[in-house]
Amino acid sequence: MAVDASLDARIREWEERLAASANSHPPFTLTPAWWQERLLHWATNDPDFRVKLLRFVDVLPTLRSARSIADHVRQYFRDSAPGIFHTASGLASQPVFRPVLSRVVRRGVFSMAQRFIAGESPEAAVPALRELARDGVACTVDLLGEETLSDVEADAYLGRYTVLLETLSANAQAISPLGEQWSSVPVVNISIKLSALCAHLEPAAPEYVSATARERLRPLLRLAMRQGAFINFDVEQYRHKELVQRTFAEVITEAEFTDFPHVGIVVQAYLRDALEDLGRLKNLAQQRGAPFSVRLVKGAYWDEERIVAAQNSWPVPVLERKEETDASFERCTEALLAAWPHLRPAFGSHNPRSVAQAMVKARNAGRQIPDIEFQMLYGMAEGLRNAVAAAGYRTRVYVPVGRVIPGMAYLVRRLLENTSNQAWFNVGVTISSIAEASPPNEGRRRQEPAFRNAPPAQFFEPDIREKMSASLARARRGFGTTYPLLVGDRRLSDRASSEVRYPAEPATIVGHVAQAAPGDVDTAVTAAREAFWDWRDLPGYERREILNRAAQLMEHTRFDLAATMVFESAKPWYEADGDVCEAIDYLRYYASEGERLSEPQPLGDTPGEHNEYFHESRGVTAVIAPWNFPLAIITGMSVGALAGGNTAILKPAAQSPIIAYRLLEILRDAGIPHGAVQYLPGPGSEIGRALVQHPGVDNIAFTGSSAVGLGIIESAARTSPEQRSVKRVVAEMGGKNAIIIDDDADLDRAVSGVLVSAFGYAGQKCSACSRLIIVGSAYEEALERLKNAVASLVVGLPDDPATFVPPVISAEARDKICGYVESGRMQATMLVQADISHLNTSRARDAAYYVAPTVFTDVPLDSPLAQEEIFGPVLSVFRAVDFEEALEIALDSRFALTGGVFSRNPRHIDLARVAFRTGNLYINRKITGAIVGRQPFGGLAMSGAGEKAGGPDYVRQFMQARVVSENTMRRGFAPEDGA
């Protein structure tokens, strides 16, 4: 980034002056501020201690007793920590010291919080704001609070924002700094977050989010206009950026707010598209005909953005080197100044270089001192702040206000910023070193893994949403198509057909599907056996290439496949897209596993003999698939068999045969012989039974209910004289899954995780949470937040991207679930049932299959609600005295598929790892959505028989091991090793 020499000289001069001021006020030794600086120094230089410190600070406010605090100190700091923490950990083991230690620790952390948080309420913060005003510094006040999970909480936030505006306005004179530079701007200035005003912040549904948020924004903006106050819109995570920008644009261009100038929005310079954001905002201001402010910051979610991108295989949206972000800040400074007078600039930075370049470039662009503003965070960079204010510039401090417990997330972000090796004061920034930074797209890249999961669709990007919308339109145009059987080389349409209906509009026929007859089973098995030999003998690498081609074909049609499931299986956008991603992952992962297993492995090194161990296919596989993951599971079972060299006959669920047909087309188009993969839809009681009992079938892969699965296992165990092998059954069956919320859990994360786990896809997942156990003192608050959150769930059409809970799959499923709800009314206490009166919920033939999300408490442990798999949006809540009792309740089930724990107690987490014996245990995250290669999926006890799907042992189930041993010694001599 070239900088004019004379301009750069002036920037250097200002930078040196500001840097000297920033470092001119070290804290006195042994004062609280000094101890805090030592703490930050230790955390900066010891990554392990840094993690422990941040986690401890995060959990501390939820610890309600001296014993609990001492217990956590001992667990977090007993191994490796600075000496004073190691000593405290030792004292924590002695009961006599616990009360004193508890007070010291709590006071220390709360004192640190007060460094960054001005007060628990607007009124309590006024003295700090008054002190800032005396120093010639203004404020913008941000309200801290819990994550908004319900409409009740969003309304409460609106009420708090209202009180904030009124309190600041009543104290306007006291908090107003003196000076000419302040004459043209409002004294009262607040920063708001869209996430506080909308409980369902769905990136795929910007229209819904904007409409919902604007209902709460309008009264706030009207009050600001009456009070002459300023409202700034903060931007948080990248995936929500468009939601904020769109809502901001739509509300400020409404007729009553078009001329209101005292609004602003944040632009984050660490984003790779920050310059494009500034361009869009300039165009918005020009079209609006009135200016607004832009606060340019570097960004506060750097660690989170990189982690989320890595977890989802997405491009990293932020610049990955500090120098790149600083250079971007300077480019954005120039663009922001060039957008005057449409955009009014405010610069948020603690970096002397960044502040200096903005000062000098503003003057060079013809801006006067009152035209720009500098902003900094409360409790940070006070020397720099005072120097900027002394130079006559408007200087404003971002002041958080709120209770400490919900404020911990903010405090942790500030500690992250203060202890990160990416912070400007920790990397030894040299004067004006930023100009040589590399371009933004040349950042460091992560090493690519051998297997890479398919990335979920980035529905927060407009072009991705347009692709999905176009696919939905294409799918609608294809309604009514007839789908034949695919048996060998024949396409058989001359059969009776079934109708597949859209569960949200049962009068709408999605397609007609030919139904196989028992005679078709014989034909299909014969074709599969004939194709088996060639497919078995194909080298493993050639099968891998074919399956990888299928994965590519699936990727190219991913939105069309997702759209099919939206209408056929009532899957909301994210659920349908996740189904496609999982299917793609199975194709690639199992392709590699099949090749690996087929390679001979030498055994031993004994002279004179050569031993090889290898796997080969078993024969014909019958794949009997469920409807709830209509593409992913049938793909996984089929490809597991095919990758191992078996042939496969696919019998899809009656509710989801169309997506299975699409899968067959992809597999055959990729090069799998027609006889090796066939499509045989039909009634499970006839076609499924015939396949299970057929003597020519060697493997049976089943996913579904326990009753059907156990029947298949029993039937397959009976042999007939025609069989040439013992049938092998791989069966994934039911679950009655529990989540435990510990008394120190992060309730934002816990309640959110329960919502997704229990009510995502209307609870129609074998992994879904149907039992919630809350420990001790967390019960009342967790229950209240859960109740309000469930009442706010968006129930509606699957093709509406805002929908969280769709209808269930069929009228029969609806009636069965409603039967459990009615029994719950008699046996338990209904805590909440979502209001779905706006939907067509009658029992008429053409009525949609909606079931209201429902939560029960006081549920008897031996009742059907507590013991039976419901497969719907029904949750039972239990109270446990302590964590050990919670485990007992969780394990009181014949199933053991998934389980979850939300806790910040290391000892409890370790105990859960050992004692919470489920196939998949999830800690501090949702219990649904297992990812291939990372969380292989499958249950224990009565939840299944077989190895975990998406893991290294799955393909092996469809193969059999062989050993070939050769005597290589001839007349007393043998070849050398490797000969």
Side-chain angles (χ1 to χ4, degrees):
M1 182 175 60
V3 180
D4 176 79
S6 62
L7 193 69
D8 188 52
R10 282 181 283 156
I11 293 173
R12 286 171 181 265
E13 178 185 348
W14 267 105
E15 179 182 5
E16 291 172 351
R17 187 187 311 176
L18 294 173
S21 298
N23 297 316
S24 62
H25 301 288
F28 292 110
T29 303
L30 298 181
T31 62
W34 182 87
W35 279 112
Q36 290 170 18
E37 292 300 327
R38 293 297 301 163
L39 193 66
L40 298 177
H41 173 76
W42 290 328
T44 301
N45 291 282
D46 185 343
D48 182 57
F49 174 67
R50 178 175 182 249
V51 171
K52 292 177 179 178
L53 174 66
L54 293 174
R55 288 182 171 178
F56 181 76
V57 168
D58 184 47
V59 71
L60 177 64
T62 68
L63 307 180
R64 297 167 177 86
S65 68
R67 179 178 180 179
S68 182
I69 292 175
D71 185 40
H72 282 71
V73 168
R74 186 169 64 253
Q75 292 180 69
Y76 276 84
F77 301 114
R78 63 186 169 193
D79 295 328
S80 60
I84 189 170
F85 285 87
H86 194 70
T87 300
S89 176
L91 292 174
S93 63
Q94 304 297 321
V96 67
F97 294 116
R98 288 174 185 168
V100 174
L101 179 66
S102 170
R103 287 194 295 273
V104 170
V105 169
R106 184 177 286 273
R107 188 176 301 164
V109 172
F110 278 51
S111 173
M112 184 182 298
Q114 290 164 7
R115 171 176 172 175
F116 301 107
I117 301 171
E120 290 203 349
S121 67
E123 195 67 46
V126 168
L129 305 183
R130 187 185 299 120
E131 190 67 28
L132 289 172
R134 290 196 190 104
D135 293 338
V137 175
C139 63
T140 179
V141 181
D142 166 50
L143 286 180
L144 302 176
E146 294 91 350
E147 181 179 338
T148 298
L149 300 176
S150 66
D151 292 335
V152 169
E153 293 176 0
D155 289 337
Y157 242 118
L158 173 59
R160 292 179 63 207
Y161 280 135
T162 301
V163 170
L164 175 63
L165 276 176
E166 292 172 342
T167 301
L168 297 181
S169 297
N171 291 275
Q173 186 172 355
I175 65 174
S176 177
L178 301 177
E180 176 115 10
Q181 68 269 36
W182 298 106
S183 60
S184 61
V185 297
V187 172
V188 176
N189 185 309
I190 71 170
S191 291
I192 66 172
K193 292 179 172 60
L194 191 70
S195 59
L197 298 175
C198 181
H200 186 44
L201 208 65
E202 174 50 69
E207 297 88 352
Y208 165 85
V209 172
S210 176
T212 301
R214 279 182 287 140
E215 288 295 321
R216 297 187 176 97
L217 284 168
R218 292 186 189 103
L220 201 60
L221 286 168
R222 290 174 190 135
L223 178 59
M225 292 173 71
R226 292 196 301 272
Q227 303 281 12
F230 184 100
I231 294 184
N232 192 79
F233 287 61
D234 281 343
V235 175
E236 299 174 274
Q237 293 86 353
Y238 178 75
R239 61 189 178 275
H240 296 146
K241 183 188 72 170
E242 193 212 351
L243 299 178
V244 179
Q245 291 182 349
R246 179 169 184 151
T247 303
F248 174 78
E250 291 181 350
V251 76
I252 70 168
T253 53
E254 291 181 1
E256 62 179 311
F257 306 122
T258 299
D259 298 327
F260 183 47
H262 301 313
V263 291
I265 190 170
V266 165
V267 168
Q268 299 163 313
Y270 69 2
L271 294 179
R272 297 180 187 274
D273 57 358
L275 282 174
E276 289 86 344
D277 288 339
L278 284 170
R280 284 190 291 269
L281 292 172
K282 178 183 176 182
N283 292 337
L284 171 64
Q286 290 175 317
Q287 294 164 10
R288 179 181 183 238
F292 56 82
S293 297
V294 168
R295 178 199 296 158
L296 180 64
V297 301
K298 294 185 180 177
Y301 299 86
W302 185 79
D303 290 272
E304 179 181 347
E305 296 290 6
R306 294 172 70 249
I307 292 169
V308 169
Q311 289 176 337
N312 290 283
S313 302
W314 288 336
V316 179
V318 297
L319 300 166
E320 296 193 74
R321 291 170 48 221
K322 181 213 174 291
E323 295 85 356
E324 293 175 338
T325 297
D326 289 339
S328 173
F329 190 88
E330 299 203 10
R331 288 191 294 271
C332 290
T333 295
E334 294 165 5
L336 183 52
L337 292 170
W340 179 275
H342 308 292
L343 302 180
R344 295 175 175 173
F347 301 98
S349 177
H350 298 163
N351 187 332
R353 162 74 196 194
S354 298
V355 173
Q357 63 88 31
M359 289 177 170
V360 173
K361 290 176 181 177
R363 280 296 185 94
N364 197 56
R367 304 279 65 77
Q368 301 302 310
I369 283 181
D371 294 337
I372 65 173
E373 183 169 296
F374 291 94
Q375 299 187 5
M376 294 160 204
L377 295 172
Y378 183 71
M380 295 176 65
E382 293 180 3
L384 177 63
R385 182 194 76 198
N386 293 335
V388 173
Y393 287 93
R394 284 207 317 270
T395 307
R396 190 179 303 278
V397 172
Y398 187 93
V399 180
V401 171
R403 293 184 299 112
V404 172
I405 291 180
M408 277 299 122
Y410 176 84
L411 176 58
V412 167
R413 282 205 305 276
R414 295 290 74 81
L415 292 176
L416 272 170
E417 186 171 346
N418 276 269
T419 59
S420 170
N421 285 321
Q422 289 285 313
W424 70 269
F425 39 75
N426 287 330
V427 294
V429 171
T430 57
I431 300 297
S432 301
S433 64
I434 310 307
E436 288 76 33
S438 58
N441 291 327
E442 294 182 5
R444 294 171 296 181
R445 296 182 179 179
R446 297 187 306 276
Q447 184 175 354
E448 294 294 326
F451 167 73
R452 186 180 179 87
N453 295 105
Q458 295 175 286
F459 285 127
F460 46 81
E461 300 288 2
D463 61 321
I464 301 298
R465 294 197 301 273
E466 289 171 7
K467 290 179 181 179
M468 184 65 180
S469 295
S471 289
L472 289 168
R474 274 195 298 274
R476 279 194 177 275
R477 291 194 295 271
F479 282 0
T481 300
T482 297
Y483 300 89
L485 308 181
L486 300 176
V487 179
D489 292 324
R490 301 166 63 195
R491 300 169 60 88
L492 304 174
S493 299
D494 57 342
R495 300 288 191 275
S497 67
S498 68
E499 297 174 341
V500 178
R501 297 176 179 271
Y502 183 22
E505 299 169 358
T508 300
I509 296 175
V510 179
H512 303 272
V513 180
Q515 298 294 284
D520 295 316
V521 173
D522 285 328
T523 305
V525 172
T526 298
R529 297 209 72 81
E530 290 174 353
F532 167 67
W533 315 110
D534 289 341
W535 183 249
R536 180 199 65 184
D537 294 338
L538 201 65
Y541 72 88
E542 291 191 29
R543 290 198 298 265
R544 174 179 56 80
E545 290 173 353
I546 292 172
L547 293 173
N548 280 333
R549 279 201 298 273
Q552 291 174 343
L553 291 172
M554 194 171 283
E555 279 187 324
H556 293 156
T557 58
R558 63 179 296 171
F559 295 112
D560 288 341
L561 295 169
T564 297
M565 288 183 281
V566 167
F567 292 119
E568 182 178 36
S569 301
K571 286 216 152 192
W573 283 30
Y574 274 111
E575 297 283 354
D577 178 72
D579 220 286
V580 179
C581 291
E582 187 175 348
I584 294 169
D585 286 347
Y586 282 135
L587 282 160
R588 292 203 171 109
Y589 186 81
Y590 290 161
S592 295
E593 287 298 301
E595 181 183 23
R596 177 182 66 84
L597 289 166
S598 65
E599 291 293 325
Q601 301 296 317
L603 298 177
D605 58 357
T606 304
E609 66 180 49
H610 179 74
N611 304 301
E612 281 188 345
Y613 179 89
F614 58 95
H615 291 83
E616 66 179 21
S617 51
R618 299 187 78 247
V620 176
T621 301
V623 177
I624 303 174
W627 51 261
N628 61 328
F629 288 89
L631 179 61
I633 290 180
I634 197 170
T635 300
M637 294 191 295
S638 304
V639 173
L642 291 165
N646 303 273
T647 54
I649 301 170
L650 280 61
K651 208 296 287 184
Q655 299 90 338
S656 57
I658 298 175
I659 192 65
Y661 182 88
R662 304 284 189 213
L663 170 64
L664 260 289
E665 289 184 315
I666 288 171
L667 294 175
R668 289 183 169 189
D669 288 347
I672 297 178
H674 289 191
V677 60
Q678 301 175 79
Y679 174 67
L680 214 62
S685 58
E686 293 182 14
I687 306 306
R689 181 184 290 114
L691 283 168
V692 168
Q693 295 176 350
H694 200 287
V697 170
D698 302 282
N699 307 311
I700 302 163
F702 168 80
T703 299
S705 71
S706 294
V708 175
L710 293 174
I712 288 174
I713 292 171
E714 182 179 2
S715 178
R718 291 192 291 268
T719 60
S720 68
E722 297 89 353
Q723 281 183 232
R724 299 297 298 272
S725 67
V726 176
K727 295 180 182 180
R728 181 173 293 173
V729 179
V730 178
E732 194 272 286
M733 298 182 286
K736 189 65 180 175
N737 312 299
I739 289 178
I740 296 172
I741 296 180
D742 204 356
D743 58 3
D744 70 345
D746 178 344
L747 293 187
D748 285 348
R749 300 276 72 79
V751 175
S752 177
V754 170
L755 289 175
V756 174
S757 301
F759 302 107
Y761 192 39
Q764 299 173 110
K765 303 178 183 181
C766 56
S767 57
C769 172
S770 61
R771 296 181 296 147
L772 173 64
I773 305 146
I774 307 174
V775 177
S777 58
Y779 185 81
E780 300 296 341
E781 183 181 354
L783 201 65
E784 181 67 16
R785 297 194 69 191
L786 176 68
K787 179 185 75 173
N788 294 331
V790 171
S792 304
L793 291 175
V794 179
V795 184
L797 296 170
D799 55 328
D800 182 345
T803 291
F804 187 83
V805 181
V808 297
I809 192 66
S810 67
E812 293 77 15
R814 176 195 62 199
D815 295 344
K816 176 185 174 184
I817 298 165
C818 288
Y820 279 103
V821 172
E822 289 307 311
S823 70
R825 291 180 187 272
M826 295 182 288
Q827 299 177 0
T829 301
M830 181 179 287
L831 175 72
V832 63
Q833 185 172 64
D835 180 8
I836 59 172
S837 58
H838 61 289
L839 301 167
N840 181 3
T841 58
S842 72
R843 299 298 177 91
R845 188 173 183 273
D846 61 346
Y849 311 138
Y850 290 107
V851 176
T854 306
V855 179
F856 290 101
T857 59
D858 304 318
V859 179
L861 288 173
D862 60 351
S863 68
L865 277 179
Q867 294 295 326
E868 296 177 9
E869 186 176 37
I870 299 173
F871 228 64
V874 180
L875 178 67
S876 297
V877 182
F878 305 88
R879 185 171 194 163
V881 173
D882 53 32
F883 192 76
E884 288 73 14
E885 184 185 23
L887 281 174
E888 289 181 16
I889 297 171
L891 293 170
D892 182 17
S893 173
R894 60 202 291 263
F895 300 107
L897 185 53
T898 66
V901 172
F902 285 90
S903 177
R904 291 180 284 192
N905 186 317
R907 180 166 52 81
H908 289 173
I909 291 173
D910 289 343
L911 178 60
R913 289 178 185 274
V914 174
F916 200 164
R917 302 183 67 83
T918 58
N920 286 62
L921 178 64
Y922 298 98
I923 298 171
N924 291 321
R925 53 149 288 172
K926 64 179 182 174
I927 67 171
T928 56
I931 298 175
V932 172
R934 285 157 57 182
Q935 296 124 22
F937 183 79
L940 310 177
M942 298 301 290
S943 288
E947 301 295 344
K948 287 182 172 293
D953 299 316
Y954 188 79
V955 173
R956 183 174 53 80
Q957 300 173 110
F958 301 96
M959 305 179 79
Q960 51 198 358
R962 292 185 59 205
V963 172
V964 174
S965 181
E966 179 185 358
N967 173 22
T968 60
M969 187 171 69
R970 298 289 187 272
R971 300 187 183 280
F973 72 92
E976 297 290 335
D977 289 345

